[in-house]
Amino acid sequence: MSVSAVEGESRLWSEFRDADRRVKVSKHHLEADDQHSKYIHVERHANGGASVVHMYQEELSHLSKAELEGLARAFLRETFREEAEGVASHVMGIVHNAVAYLPEVVDYFSTQHPQVAVKTGHMRKSEIQTVRMWQYAEKVFATYSEGTMRCGPMLQMSLVGQFAEESGSYFPDFLNLLELNPFLRMTLPWGEMSSLALPDRTKSDDGPIMWVRPGEQMVPTGEVTGGTPRKKRISSNELQSRLYGPRVSERRETLFEDRTRCHADHVGQGPQQQTTAAVGVLKSVKADEKDCTTRDVKDVVCFRAADFNEVALNLQLDLYEPPMSQAVGGRGQTEPAEERRHHVCSDPPEGQ
């Protein structure tokens, strides 16, 4: 479960961009039948060459529950289709506006589960604090403005129970809301398309989890610390002051780089470790109930599965490390154009 609040492009430009770049492939390129293929759109990135499967909720509003279930299976089969064993045909599948029915998530947990303990970070320091959900929500809404907020991120919180030292609890009410969506119901760890075959969702050790991110932004140091800028020191040497003039005191800013370096998601440990697909829900934080703005909330670069070994070698990834620390070689922020020179297919879709 991913919640982010990052200022994106205007919706008008997004619609123009999608209309210009979207490619609806002919039915012989899809495994879906004629009944479902008209709703499935495949976009092949003009520069990278990799493909993304798209579906738009506004095109599905007239379907019955049974028809939507069948369409969800067809979409997921196409999204996870493999051109060879272990090699996915597409880098991503996106159902746009599919979870518009969900409440604003930060507000929901702060009102329905206000006492749950969550761990939060800081925008400038590497310290972690434990606070109640209602306290974190107050900071979020007090500093929110136009898609970003000036408080630290909320670290991952398990929605299916608390394990070891992690934050979280069992939230059946919110899990029931997620399962109202057929695309999610089928792909959750206990869903029909999961390989885990879990008897109960409380047995899941693979999520879902939820986190909140403030969005990438330039932050004035005074706003983060909550203090006032230091007063300019007055020189006692009048001659030196006249020669060199007063020191120019500009407002200092720091970049909060809200992004994860290149990584691969896995299940299992040691020799049993396998690369897997990640399923996520993206919703922007909104402080105003009347705000109906559709925002881009994530910017991601994906690489084609067929190039997995070459990407891992070029980026010097340590695949046995957790996702946050796999880019040990320091090349996790490489430009996609550099990989294209080596015939590696990628697709950097704008945040959806």
Side-chain angles (χ1 to χ4, degrees):
M1 179 70 189
S2 175
V3 185
S4 182
V6 181
E7 178 67 18
E9 302 169 274
S10 68
R11 188 172 183 179
L12 179 63
W13 167 245
S14 297
E15 290 176 350
F16 175 81
R17 180 199 64 220
D18 291 343
D20 182 58
R21 292 174 51 196
R22 191 189 313 160
V23 179
K24 187 175 180 182
V25 298
S26 57
K27 61 184 179 181
H28 70 271
H29 288 129
L30 297 172
E31 289 191 350
D33 54 28
D34 292 338
Q35 180 185 1
H36 299 136
S37 61
K38 61 183 178 180
Y39 301 108
I40 301 176
H41 310 273
V42 177
E43 174 191 356
R44 189 169 299 278
H45 193 264
N47 292 338
S51 58
V52 177
V53 187
H54 295 271
M55 188 173 284
Y56 298 85
Q57 184 65 35
E58 54 267 27
E59 297 180 358
L60 317 178
S61 57
H62 66 283
L63 298 179
S64 66
K65 183 177 180 180
E67 291 173 330
L68 190 58
E69 292 274 341
L71 180 59
R73 289 189 181 89
F75 173 82
L76 293 171
R77 281 197 300 267
E78 179 62 29
T79 298
F80 297 129
R81 180 166 59 88
E82 296 183 346
E83 58 188 46
E85 185 176 358
V87 180
S89 301
H90 309 288
V91 298
M92 188 184 301
I94 305 173
V95 186
H96 300 261
N97 297 323
V99 291
Y101 69 91
L102 284 179
E104 203 290 316
V105 181
V106 176
D107 179 66
Y108 176 86
F109 277 92
S110 66
T111 55
Q112 300 298 317
H113 306 280
Q115 297 302 322
V116 65
V118 297
K119 295 180 180 179
T120 65
H122 195 276
M123 299 191 78
R124 290 187 59 206
K125 305 174 184 177
S126 57
E127 63 182 26
I128 296 177
Q129 294 179 328
T130 300
V131 299
R132 300 298 178 183
M133 187 65 203
W134 69 268
Q135 294 173 313
Y136 180 72
E138 281 190 349
K139 293 182 180 180
V140 169
F141 297 132
T143 61
Y144 177 88
S145 177
E146 299 299 330
T148 61
M149 56 200 186
R150 290 279 166 83
C151 69
M154 189 188 87
L155 306 186
Q156 63 269 20
M157 176 180 72
S158 173
L159 303 181
V160 289
Q162 188 175 6
F163 303 96
E165 298 180 358
E166 68 180 1
S167 301
S169 183
Y170 179 52
F171 303 103
D173 52 337
F174 191 74
L175 295 176
N176 292 338
L177 288 176
L178 293 180
E179 290 186 352
L180 292 176
N181 185 288
F183 300 93
L184 291 175
R185 186 170 61 252
M186 296 176 187
T187 53
L188 284 167
W190 54 87
E192 64 179 68
M193 300 192 73
S194 173
S195 61
L196 298 178
L198 297 176
D200 186 83
R201 58 191 185 185
T202 59
K203 305 297 182 182
S204 173
D205 193 26
D206 194 30
I209 59 176
M210 172 186 133
W211 65 87
V212 184
R213 304 296 302 181
E216 191 162 292
Q217 56 190 290
M218 295 295 295
V219 183
T221 54
E223 290 195 22
V224 177
T225 59
T228 56
R230 287 185 177 181
K231 293 183 178 180
K232 184 180 65 176
R233 179 181 296 175
I234 301 175
S235 174
S236 60
N237 189 328
E238 184 178 352
L239 179 60
Q240 184 181 18
S241 178
R242 289 179 179 275
L243 286 174
Y244 299 104
R247 181 179 176 182
V248 178
S249 57
E250 295 181 353
R251 195 181 189 188
R252 297 184 180 181
E253 295 181 325
T254 58
L255 171 65
F256 182 77
E257 196 173 24
D258 195 6
R259 59 183 62 232
T260 306
R261 292 180 179 271
C262 192
H263 65 278
D265 291 305
H266 294 93
V267 292
Q269 300 291 333
Q272 287 76 37
Q273 179 174 285
Q274 290 182 314
T275 304
T276 185
V279 179
V281 176
L282 301 176
K283 280 188 72 71
S284 62
V285 174
K286 293 182 179 179
D288 185 0
E289 294 181 357
K290 298 180 181 179
D291 185 4
C292 299
T293 306
T294 300
R295 296 187 182 277
D296 291 343
V297 296
K298 193 166 186 177
D299 185 26
V300 59
V301 177
C302 295
F303 294 96
R304 190 181 62 169
D307 299 319
F308 178 82
N309 292 327
E310 187 173 353
V311 170
L313 180 63
N314 290 345
L315 299 185
Q316 303 174 25
L317 300 183
D318 185 348
L319 300 176
Y320 290 97
E321 286 287 323
M324 291 294 291
S325 55
Q326 287 183 14
V328 295
R331 295 198 60 199
Q333 300 282 28
T334 187
E335 293 292 335
E338 176 66 20
E339 296 304 314
R340 295 188 196 116
R341 288 179 59 84
H342 301 283
H343 306 288
V344 173
C345 287
S346 65
D347 177 37
E350 288 76 3
Q352 303 292 346

